[in-house]
């Protein structure tokens, strides 16, 4: 069992205070470094991304903006408006630009969807990303569907459908792969759920970690974005922070009915992207960038899955199956999660 020394307990108390002040997300690495100078923090342990992708983006950024002096233009001048960047993204994901809403990170897309389109009742799977219940309006009832430990916290489709039919919500949320356990619904299963929930007004599919998932030995990417073309009640939300390692530039988007996009653009989201996020999205559509990215995406998947396998060999923990770049673990030796995290960080 992990126990803390008196000195470690003092630091752990400070970490707890910082966490409570930060709300649903952990404090930034800059805050921790500033507030805990006694620690030598080198890694942001609350955020996981593909560092190879960050290096690739930086390579392009240096060669095309820094070395040429064009970075000044990106910083000095206003970026394009939302619909222009949506047109850029449309070339990458093969979706009409009228159906794409660009967010200042996926969190802005989540907030805008929760505030503007979710009505009286939404079903949220637990455990999950907390913003989907924290951002609910006061007049929205949040109903929790508990994922079962004996099912490895996987979403069992028939049981889930039975629950949804009984509760009769106007909206549901499916994170795929799920956060925080990495549980994954295959494309066929997801389509099965959509076929059986055509009466639901909003089916929100958050696939912010989809680039780490795979269904074949070639690690091919399978996105739910294509399902929007068949099911008009689908809203797909995509963060670019994790798979491309660019959380700092705040890039994300949503795919939804064009009338939903128009409503958001008329309610204050017309000009919400930065010049750096626009530069990234213009890279995102380029074949030369994406070919290199695909190589490092698959490389990272192999390393992550290998890490999970090694992690599962430690007798004091249980590792739950994951198709994300993180895994949910259960401590079997009686240690508390708070002490475990603090000990590892310290």
């Amino acid at each position: 069992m992990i126990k803390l020394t008196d000195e470690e307990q003092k630091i752990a108390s400070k970490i707890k205070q910082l966490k409570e002040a930060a709300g649903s997300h952990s404090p930034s690495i800059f805050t921790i470094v500033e507030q805990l100078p006694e620690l030598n923090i080198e890694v942001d342990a609350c955020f996981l991304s593909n560092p190879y992708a960050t290096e690739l983006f930086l390579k392009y950024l240096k060669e095309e903006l820094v070395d040429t002096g064009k970075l000044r233009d990106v910083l000095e001048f206003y970026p394009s408006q939302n619909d222009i960047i949506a047109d850029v993204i449309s070339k990458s994901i093969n979706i009409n630009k009228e159906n794409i809403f660009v967010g200042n990170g996926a969190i802005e897309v989540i907030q805008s969807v929760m505030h503007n389109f979710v009505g009286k009742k939404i079903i949220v799977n637990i455990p999950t990303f907390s913003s989907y219940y924290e951002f609910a309006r006061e007049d929205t009832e949040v109903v929790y569907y508990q994922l079962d430990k004996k099912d490895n916290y996987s979403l069992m489709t028939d049981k889930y459908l039975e629950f949804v039919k009984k509760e009769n919500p106007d909206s549901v949320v499916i994170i795929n792969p799920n956060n925080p356990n990495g549980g994954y619904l295959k494309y066929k299963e997801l389509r099965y759920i959509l076929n059986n929930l055509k009466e639901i007004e909003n089916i929100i599919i958050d696939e912010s970690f989809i680039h780490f998932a795979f269904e074949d030995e070639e690690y091919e990417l399978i996105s739910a974005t294509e399902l929007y073309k068949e099911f008009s009640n689908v809203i797909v939300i995509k963060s670019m922070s994790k798979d491309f390692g660019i959380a700092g530039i705040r890039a994300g988007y949503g795919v939804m009915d064009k009338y939903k996009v128009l409503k958001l653009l008329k309610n204050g989201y017309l000009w919400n992207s930065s010049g750096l996020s626009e530069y990234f999205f213009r890279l995102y559509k380029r074949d030369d960038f994406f070919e290199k990215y695909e190589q490092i995406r698959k490389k990272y998947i192999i390393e992550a899955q290998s890490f999970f396998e090694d992690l599962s060999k430690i007798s004091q923990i249980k590792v739950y199956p994951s198709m994300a770049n993180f895994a949910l673990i259960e401590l079997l030796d009686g240690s508390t999660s708070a002490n475990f995290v603090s000990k590892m960080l310290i």
Side-chain angles (χ1 to χ4, degrees):
M1 181 186 295
I2 291 175
K3 294 183 179 179
L4 303 181
T5 65
D6 290 344
E7 187 60 33
E8 288 172 338
Q9 191 61 57
K10 292 178 183 177
I11 298 174
S13 296
K14 291 182 181 179
I15 294 172
K16 182 181 178 182
Q17 291 172 9
L18 292 177
K19 174 66 184 74
E20 289 173 348
S24 62
H25 204 280
S26 295
S28 73
I29 189 171
F30 306 107
T31 301
I32 296 175
V33 169
E34 183 181 65
Q35 298 296 321
L36 294 171
E38 58 267 50
L39 296 183
N40 179 28
I41 304 293
E42 296 180 351
V43 175
D44 188 348
C46 83
F47 170 72
L48 291 174
S49 65
N50 184 345
Y52 303 133
T54 308
E55 291 167 8
L56 179 64
F57 176 71
L58 283 173
K59 180 177 182 294
Y60 274 84
L61 183 73
K62 181 178 184 299
E63 293 175 356
E64 297 185 353
L65 296 186
V66 178
D67 293 348
T68 63
K70 293 180 180 179
L71 179 61
R72 182 185 178 93
D73 293 343
V74 172
L75 299 177
E76 184 176 7
F77 303 128
Y78 283 105
S80 300
Q81 293 185 351
N82 201 301
D83 64 327
I84 302 297
I85 301 176
D87 188 41
V88 173
I89 297 172
S90 71
K91 308 296 193 302
S92 305
I93 63 175
N94 193 29
I95 293 287
N96 292 333
K97 71 170 186 175
E98 292 83 4
N99 299 113
I100 300 173
F101 170 68
V102 185
N104 189 267
I107 198 73
E108 184 176 56
V109 185
I110 294 170
Q111 186 174 25
S112 64
V113 167
M114 294 295 293
H115 288 183
N116 288 277
F117 307 128
V118 173
K120 293 184 178 180
K121 193 175 191 179
I122 184 171
I123 292 178
V124 176
N125 303 326
I126 291 293
T128 198
F129 184 43
S130 60
S131 292
Y132 282 103
Y133 51 84
E134 291 174 338
F135 286 169
R137 301 194 315 254
E138 288 187 2
D139 60 342
T140 298
E141 179 188 2
V142 179
V143 177
Y144 299 105
Y145 177 71
Q146 180 67 55
L147 299 175
D148 201 324
K149 178 181 175 180
K150 74 174 187 295
D151 296 324
N152 286 329
Y153 298 106
S154 298
L155 184 67
M156 310 305 288
T157 52
D158 288 330
K159 285 199 295 184
Y160 175 72
L161 287 171
E162 182 182 352
F163 183 86
V164 175
K165 299 281 186 181
K166 177 185 174 184
E167 291 292 336
N168 191 30
D170 57 79
S171 305
V172 300
V173 177
I174 297 173
I175 300 182
N176 196 41
N178 190 38
N179 178 357
N181 65 305
Y184 177 66
L185 274 174
K186 290 187 175 181
Y187 187 86
K188 185 177 179 180
E189 294 175 290
L190 193 55
R191 193 175 179 281
Y192 174 75
I193 289 175
L194 300 184
N195 259 321
N196 284 276
L197 293 181
K198 292 181 178 179
E199 73 280 7
I200 301 296
E201 188 175 339
N202 304 297
I203 300 180
I204 303 166
I205 302 174
D206 186 326
E207 54 175 30
S208 292
F209 296 93
I210 197 67
H211 282 217
F212 304 113
F214 58 94
E215 295 186 17
D216 59 34
E217 293 181 355
E218 300 300 319
Y219 306 107
E220 293 300 325
L221 175 63
I222 303 178
S223 169
T225 307
E226 286 293 315
L227 291 170
Y228 169 76
K229 298 175 182 178
E230 187 177 353
F231 302 97
S232 60
N233 58 345
V234 163
I235 299 173
V236 179
I237 297 178
K238 181 74 183 79
S239 165
M240 314 306 285
S241 298
K242 294 82 180 174
D243 34 28
F244 289 94
I246 51 165
I249 69 173
R250 314 307 303 128
Y253 64 83
V255 173
M256 62 193 79
D257 184 276
K258 67 178 181 179
Y259 296 107
K260 287 185 170 78
V261 174
L262 282 172
K263 180 177 180 179
L264 294 178
L265 295 183
K266 289 179 180 178
N267 282 278
Y269 296 102
L270 187 63
W271 220 335
N272 58 337
S273 293
S274 71
L276 283 175
S277 65
E278 179 178 1
Y279 170 71
F280 165 76
F281 280 126
R282 292 187 179 279
L283 265 184
Y284 184 50
K285 73 169 185 173
R286 283 167 45 179
D287 290 342
D288 61 315
F289 174 79
F290 210 81
E291 286 173 7
K292 293 172 183 169
Y293 167 71
E294 272 295 278
Q295 294 175 12
I296 58 178
R297 181 183 71 85
K298 294 177 181 180
K299 177 183 178 182
Y300 186 75
I301 288 174
I302 293 170
E303 292 186 3
Q305 292 297 322
S306 175
F307 173 71
F308 299 154
E309 185 179 346
D310 288 344
L311 201 61
S312 67
K313 296 174 184 176
I314 301 174
S315 61
Q316 294 95 332
I317 64 175
K318 175 181 178 179
V319 180
Y320 287 88
S322 174
M323 277 285 188
N325 63 330
F326 52 81
L328 178 68
I329 68 170
E330 180 180 356
L331 304 175
L332 304 176
D333 66 347
S335 299
T336 66
S337 60
N339 280 357
F340 179 83
V341 170
S342 295
K343 192 76 171 183
M344 295 291 286
L345 186 61
I346 295 168

